[in-house]
Amino acid sequence: MTDSMAEIVDLPSAERGARQPRPRYGDRALIVCDNLVKIYKVADLEVVALQGLDLLVESGEFIALVGASGSGKSTLLNVLGGLDVPSAGRATVAGYQLAELGPREQTRYLRQVIGFVWQQTGRNLLPYLTALENVALPMAFDGVPADIRATRARELLRQVGLEDRADHRPQHLSGGEQQRVAIAVALANEPEVILADEPTGELDSGSAAEIFELLRRLNRELGVTIIVATHDPLVSSQVSRTVSIRDGRVSSEVLRHRSGPTEDDHHIETEFAVLDRVGRLQLPRAHVEALGLEKRVRVDLEDDHLSVWPDRSSRGSGGAAEPRPPGDRPADRGDAR
Ligand code: ADP
Ligand code: MG
C-alpha cells in the first residue's frame, strides 16, 4: 500500500491512478491483483473475504472464476470493478490503481474501462426503458451524440442476436434475452474488461449455454478481456483458464488448449497449483489425501521438479524422514511441479 502511494505521490492529480512508471510484479498484465486483502467489518466481527490474493490476467483472456459460495468471488469482482476498495494490497486494471482513484478517475474507470453484468437480471437493466434505450444509456452518460448512440446501440443488439427485440422492455424479454441485453449494455462504451458475476445463475441450462457461447464469441471477435464468476460446470469447457478460489486466495488454475489446430482436436487440460510470490504452494486436496500428508512434508529438489514426501517421523518411526528407495516412489503423485 505505502509503496504504491509513494509512487503516485508526485504525479499531478489528473494522472493519479495512471500508468506505472517502473517495472514490477505483473507489469505487462492488464489486471494485477497483488496480495489483495479485503476485510469486511460487521459489528464487532471481521470477515476476511480476500486473504492475500495474487492474480495476473493478460489482455484478451477469458477466465472463469470458480469456488464455493463465500470463497470471495464477488468480493474480487467488486474490487476489480471499482465498486469496493481493498483493505490492503494492490489492484491495478489497465493502468488504473484502484485503491487510489480520485472521484473523476473513478467515474472514467467505471464508464470506459469496465463493463459489469450481474446475476440478477433485474439489476442490469432499467425496467421502464426499452432494450435499445438501455444499451444507449451508458453512451448518453459518456456524452455520445444521440444519432451515434442509436446506431451503435442497434449494432450492439445485433451482435448479441437481439436486433428484433430493440423496442421491448425487459419484462417482455426472457431471462436469457435480458442477460444478452445486459451484455450489450456492458459493451456500450467499449470497455477493456467485462466482469460478470454469475450471469447465468438465474437461467436454465440452455440459455446459460447460449450466454457463455456469446461471451466466448465477443472475447474472440472484440478481444475484450472477460472474467466470469460462476458455479456452472459447463463453463469450464468454454474458457482457456479456470481460476479456483478457496478461502479468499487462488488455490489452483486449469489451463486448456487444443491438441491441434482444428475444431475436432480435443482439449488438453492441465491443472496447476499456484505458487504465490513468496513461494507458498497450496497442494491439491486430493493429492494431500491420497498420501495422507499432514503437518510436515519433505520437499526434495530433483533435476527438473520437486518431490514431496510424507513425514515418516511423525508416524512413530522417530528421527528424520527416510527417503523411499528408488522404484518405490508414488509415481509422482503429490509432486509439485
Ligand atoms: P462468493 O461470491 O464466492 O460467494 P463473496 O465474495 O460474496 O463470496 O463473500 C466472501 C466472504 O465475505 C463471505 O464470508 C461473505 O459472507 C463475506 N462478505 C461478502 N460481502 C460482505 C459484506 N458486504 N459485508 C460483510 N461480509 C461480506
Ligand atoms: Mg458471489
Side-chain angles (χ1 to χ4, degrees):
M1 188 73 113
T2 43
D3 71 340
S4 61
M5 285 172 72
E7 198 133 59
I8 62 160
V9 95
D10 290 325
L11 295 173
S13 61
E15 294 299 310
R16 276 164 188 267
R19 308 227 167 236
Q20 299 294 311
R22 284 192 254 124
R24 53 162 145 181
Y25 175 67
D27 202 43
R28 292 191 315 272
L30 181 69
I31 298 175
V32 181
C33 299
D34 181 356
N35 205 7
L36 215 52
V37 174
K38 177 67 195 180
I39 298 170
Y40 290 107
K41 291 200 174 70
V42 184
D44 288 343
L45 278 178
E46 288 194 342
V47 179
V48 186
L50 299 177
Q51 14 193 336
L53 182 140
D54 292 329
L55 178 67
L56 300 181
V57 179
E58 304 292 327
S59 180
E61 281 197 272
F62 184 1
I63 290 181
L65 212 54
V66 301
S69 181
S71 56
K73 303 182 296 294
S74 296
T75 303
L76 176 59
L77 291 184
N78 286 336
V79 168
L80 292 179
L83 305 171
D84 215 338
V85 183
S87 311
R90 185 170 64 109
T92 310
V93 178
Y96 286 79
Q97 286 257 27
L98 299 188
E100 315 289 346
L101 298 180
R104 279 179 43 212
E105 291 76 45
Q106 163 130 22
T107 305
R108 197 169 59 193
Y109 180 73
L110 293 174
R111 286 191 189 155
Q112 297 177 0
V113 180
I114 292 293
F116 223 109
V117 181
W118 305 94
Q119 171 174 358
Q120 301 85 0
T121 48
R123 190 170 173 182
N124 288 309
L125 305 174
L126 289 175
Y128 49 86
L129 296 183
T130 65
L132 190 80
E133 289 164 345
N134 266 291
V135 180
L137 192 62
M139 295 183 253
F141 285 136
D142 221 23
V144 177
D147 50 338
I148 298 178
R149 289 203 299 266
T151 309
R152 180 157 161 70
R154 243 171 239 293
E155 166 58 18
L156 283 165
L157 286 175
R158 192 193 61 73
Q159 284 188 351
V160 300
L162 288 179
E163 61 267 64
D164 57 341
R165 299 283 198 280
D167 300 323
H168 289 53
R169 297 227 166 98
Q171 71 201 64
H172 296 126
L173 299 170
S174 71
E177 288 172 338
Q178 289 181 43
Q179 290 304 65
R180 287 182 205 215
V181 176
I183 291 168
V185 171
L187 284 170
N189 288 331
E190 301 183 298
E192 293 192 54
V193 180
I194 294 221
L195 303 172
D197 196 353
E198 315 231 7
T200 62
E202 294 182 356
L203 304 182
D204 60 83
S205 58
S207 306
E210 284 173 19
I211 292 292
F212 283 122
E213 183 51 43
L214 172 63
L215 289 172
R216 195 156 74 134
R217 181 163 59 75
L218 295 170
N219 167 253
R220 209 170 48 225
E221 292 177 0
L222 306 178
V224 60
T225 306
I226 302 181
I227 304 183
V228 186
T230 182
H231 273 105
D232 194 336
L234 179 103
V235 78
S236 63
S237 61
Q238 305 255 358
V239 297
S240 55
R241 187 169 157 211
T242 302
V243 172
S244 301
I245 299 207
R246 204 160 97 198
D247 302 330
R249 268 194 210 124
V250 174
S251 63
S252 70
E253 295 193 7
V254 174
L255 300 189
R256 210 168 282 100
H257 60 273
R258 274 184 207 286
S259 60
T262 74
E263 289 284 324
D264 293 334
D265 291 304
H266 63 283
H267 281 95
I268 298 172
E269 293 191 0
T270 317
E271 179 167 8
F272 292 90
V274 174
L275 195 62
D276 80 7
R277 294 181 57 201
V278 293
R280 280 178 301 217
L281 183 67
Q282 191 169 29
L283 296 174
R285 186 170 284 162
H287 293 190
V288 170
E289 286 168 1
L291 295 185
L293 302 178
E294 53 183 6
K295 288 194 205 149
R296 282 187 300 251
V297 294
R298 258 193 54 184
V299 181
D300 291 338
L301 179 62
E302 309 285 343
D303 285 345
D304 62 351
H305 69 282
L306 300 176
S307 55
V308 178
W309 304 86
D311 175 10
R312 301 276 162 222
S313 66
S314 67
R315 297 198 177 162
S317 61
E322 292 287 318
R324 292 192 208 181
D328 188 27
R329 292 190 171 191
D332 283 346
R333 275 185 310 158
D335 280 12
R337 280 171 189 274

